Amino acid sequence: MKAEKPALFTALSPALLNLYDVSSSIVVIIDVLRATSTIATALHNGAKGIIPVDSVAECIRLGKQIEGITAGERDGLIAEGLSYGNSPFEYPAEFIGGKTLVLTTTNGTKLLHMALDKGAKEIVTGSFPNLSAVCDYLVAMKMPVILGCAAWKDRVNIEDTLFAGAVISRIKDHFHINCDSSQMAETMYNDAKEDLYEFMKSKNASHYHRLSRFGLEKDIRYCLTVDVANILCLYKEGKLIKQPI
Amino acid sequence: MKAEKPALFTALSPALLNLYDVSSSIVVIIDVLRATSTIATALHNGAKGIIPVDSVAECIRLGKQIEGITAGERDGLIAEGLSYGNSPFEYPAEFIGGKTLVLTTTNGTKLLHMALDKGAKEIVTGSFPNLSAVCDYLVAMKMPVILGCAAWKDRVNIEDTLFAGAVISRIKDHFHINCDSSQMAETMYNDAKEDLYEFMKSKNASHYHRLSRFGLEKDIRYCLTVDVANILCLYKEGKLIKQPI
């Protein structure tokens, strides 16, 4: 029985993604603070779709072309020339409902394009706000999985690792896991799960530090909250859409 | 005061080493199972020096040239054409005393050459058998430190991460650490420190699994034992030598 389970791997940084066979796998793009949390929230709040692009210039060009909302950040701040940032609180239903968002971020959208270029079989985005939807989908699909952490400029980060660990702790019985990174992620999550926010703070996580300087504690708390925007975000025909599960 | 402390970073895989400034740092090469444990042991037992080389062919060539002992492994087994393997038990004092070892391994010696090519200021090797010597040296030098995990073919592994965590837990007060990988390593080590061997086993660490299939539990236990070959292994003029501290 054991051998028949699909494999699950965790890539702790985009620089490690090429070690895994994405072409036969579902790749889960994880950028907890804040891209994939914002994606889940905007789709949950009724956005028609989210087009991830990998440069600010492309974001501006495409935003004009399709009359979409341009959004994104570089180094944690709204990128110059774009209208909105990367905070989930910028996208309530009354604003984003029925609209298309064109989004570019430092790490998350970059990793998504990397997975795409390498021929990933399926791509979804994952975050604590849609943890259950991601887990249910991965279990239902019975396919190999790569949990892809967006990290920070290729440097491994705690929050994306914690999310990978949260997924693993929920679905590990359905997968064959021979991957130390996955074991590490789950160990970290088990240490942190009582209070993810306090864990991040106590470990002086670099990204916690970076965002809290900008006064974004509220964002951090939201991005560590489970299932508050619990929908599946599937990449299909060039955009992320809300997928019924 | 805090700002004056030198920085410490952990690179969890050779594929992440280029994210850090090795040219101003002491790079600690960590390949717990088994290269750096064997290096510490052979030098502790009186080897004159150890020449790390990055290919089997070069190992054979140089071994003949200097009449040294050729040793090394590929994929955990003695490499074809070499006389000895990568087990610390192959190098007791009565055999290795006064001799020069030419060594090539899958991950450890490769990472050492990578650090060298990138212009690392100083290179030492680290393992549980010489944990205290490494820590004392790093504290005494008051220089930036990069803990470089050799990993397994670029895949992050538990045992090298645990050693990084052990070093960090001992010397962190002397360094400025803004590095999530370091925080993760220390968290892992704190979870594991009561019984490193049982931790490795319980996590089904991929390398534990790989070596225990070859019947090398004895090697694993030794390589997780603190200070049994407690000398500093410094890379100097092309070879690793025992350095008085």
Side-chain angles (χ1 to χ4, degrees):
Chain A
M1 274 304 281
K2 202 177 168 188
E4 287 168 28
K5 292 180 184 177
L8 181 149
F9 292 98
T10 301
L12 293 174
S13 157
L16 302 173
L17 187 68
N18 65 339
L19 301 173
Y20 306 96
D21 173 23
V22 302
S23 68
S24 62
S25 305
I26 303 171
V27 180
V28 182
I29 307 294
I30 302 166
D31 188 1
V32 164
L33 295 177
R34 296 167 291 166
T36 54
S37 304
T38 297
I39 287 166
T41 303
L43 288 177
H44 182 259
N45 288 345
K48 216 165 88 185
I50 297 172
I51 303 178
V53 295
D54 57 8
S55 74
V56 172
E58 173 66 3
C59 190
I60 294 170
R61 192 197 63 75
L62 193 63
K64 279 184 189 149
Q65 196 174 40
I66 65 163
E67 295 177 30
I69 294 165
T70 60
E73 52 79 29
R74 284 296 178 269
D75 296 328
L77 298 170
I78 299 183
E80 218 183 308
L82 304 183
S83 305
Y84 294 87
N86 192 26
S87 167
F89 293 110
E90 291 181 89
Y91 305 100
E94 55 274 22
F95 168 60
I96 198 65
K99 297 206 183 84
T100 297
L101 195 64
V102 187
L103 180 71
T104 183
T105 67
T106 312
N107 305 292
T109 56
K110 230 176 239 182
L111 177 62
L112 191 149
H113 282 96
M114 195 185 285
L116 203 60
D117 291 346
K118 291 178 190 297
K121 194 145 184 137
E122 297 281 351
I123 295 175
V124 297
T125 64
S127 66
F128 287 104
N130 70 334
L131 172 63
S132 292
V134 170
C135 290
D136 292 349
Y137 173 76
L138 296 178
V139 170
M141 292 293 280
K142 301 186 198 306
M143 276 170 57
V145 168
I146 295 164
L147 302 176
C149 298
W152 180 265
K153 297 180 181 177
D154 284 345
R155 292 189 183 189
V156 173
N157 74 26
I158 291 179
E159 63 273 18
D160 296 344
T161 305
L162 287 177
F163 179 77
V167 171
I168 292 161
S169 79
R170 286 196 181 196
I171 69 174
K172 62 183 175 184
D173 290 347
H174 300 270
F175 290 87
H176 175 63
I177 305 179
N178 181 14
C179 166
D180 283 16
S181 297
S182 296
Q183 299 286 359
M184 286 167 55
E186 195 194 359
T187 302
M188 291 288 293
Y189 175 69
N190 283 334
D191 274 21
K193 64 186 175 189
E194 286 305 314
D195 191 335
L196 296 170
Y197 184 83
E198 277 308 313
F199 184 85
M200 289 282 291
K201 212 169 142 182
S202 73
K203 296 295 170 193
N204 195 24
S206 56
H207 208 128
Y208 167 83
H209 196 64
R210 196 176 300 119
L211 286 178
S212 66
R213 272 184 324 200
F214 301 144
L216 298 176
E217 292 94 340
K218 191 181 158 204
D219 278 34
I220 300 175
R221 282 193 187 275
Y222 174 87
C223 292
L224 297 174
T225 308
V226 167
D227 288 351
V228 284
N230 194 29
I231 51 114
L232 185 73
C233 311
L234 181 73
Y235 187 80
K236 210 170 178 177
E237 292 165 3
K239 54 181 180 284
L240 288 154
I241 52 167
K242 174 177 162 180
Q243 181 77 354
I245 47 170
Chain B
M1 271 305 280
K2 203 177 169 186
E4 289 169 27
K5 293 179 183 176
L8 181 151
F9 291 99
T10 301
L12 293 174
S13 158
L16 302 173
L17 187 68
N18 65 338
L19 301 173
Y20 306 96
D21 174 22
V22 302
S23 68
S24 62
S25 305
I26 302 171
V27 180
V28 182
I29 307 295
I30 303 167
D31 188 359
V32 163
L33 294 175
R34 298 167 288 167
T36 55
S37 303
T38 297
I39 287 167
T41 303
L43 288 177
H44 181 259
N45 287 345
K48 214 165 91 185
I50 297 173
I51 303 178
V53 295
D54 57 8
S55 74
V56 172
E58 172 66 4
C59 190
I60 294 169
R61 191 196 64 74
L62 193 62
K64 278 184 190 150
Q65 194 174 41
I66 64 163
E67 295 176 31
I69 294 165
T70 61
E73 52 81 25
R74 285 297 179 268
D75 297 328
L77 297 171
I78 299 183
E80 219 184 305
L82 305 184
S83 306
Y84 293 87
N86 193 25
S87 167
F89 293 109
E90 291 179 90
Y91 305 101
E94 54 274 25
F95 168 60
I96 198 65
K99 299 207 182 82
T100 296
L101 195 63
V102 187
L103 181 70
T104 182
T105 67
T106 311
N107 304 292
T109 56
K110 229 177 238 182
L111 177 61
L112 191 149
H113 282 97
M114 195 185 287
L116 203 59
D117 291 345
K118 290 178 191 297
K121 195 147 186 136
E122 298 281 352
I123 295 175
V124 297
T125 64
S127 67
F128 287 104
N130 69 333
L131 173 63
S132 293
V134 170
C135 291
D136 292 349
Y137 173 75
L138 296 178
V139 169
M141 292 293 280
K142 300 186 199 302
M143 275 172 56
V145 167
I146 295 165
L147 301 175
C149 299
W152 181 264
K153 297 181 181 177
D154 283 345
R155 292 190 184 190
V156 173
N157 74 26
I158 291 180
E159 62 274 18
D160 295 343
T161 305
L162 287 177
F163 180 76
V167 171
I168 291 161
S169 80
R170 287 197 182 196
I171 69 173
K172 62 183 174 183
D173 291 347
H174 300 269
F175 290 87
H176 175 65
I177 305 179
N178 180 15
C179 167
D180 283 17
S181 297
S182 297
Q183 299 286 359
M184 285 168 55
E186 194 194 0
T187 302
M188 292 287 295
Y189 175 70
N190 283 334
D191 274 22
K193 65 186 174 190
E194 285 307 313
D195 190 333
L196 295 170
Y197 184 83
E198 278 306 313
F199 185 85
M200 289 283 290
K201 211 169 144 182
S202 73
K203 296 296 170 192
N204 195 22
S206 55
H207 209 128
Y208 167 82
H209 196 65
R210 195 176 300 119
L211 287 178
S212 66
R213 271 183 326 197
F214 301 143
L216 299 176
E217 293 93 339
K218 190 182 160 203
D219 279 33
I220 301 175
R221 283 193 187 275
Y222 174 86
C223 292
L224 297 173
T225 308
V226 168
D227 289 350
V228 284
N230 195 30
I231 51 112
L232 185 73
C233 312
L234 181 75
Y235 187 82
K236 210 170 176 177
E237 292 166 3
K239 54 180 180 281
L240 288 154
I241 51 166
K242 176 176 162 181
Q243 180 77 355
I245 47 170

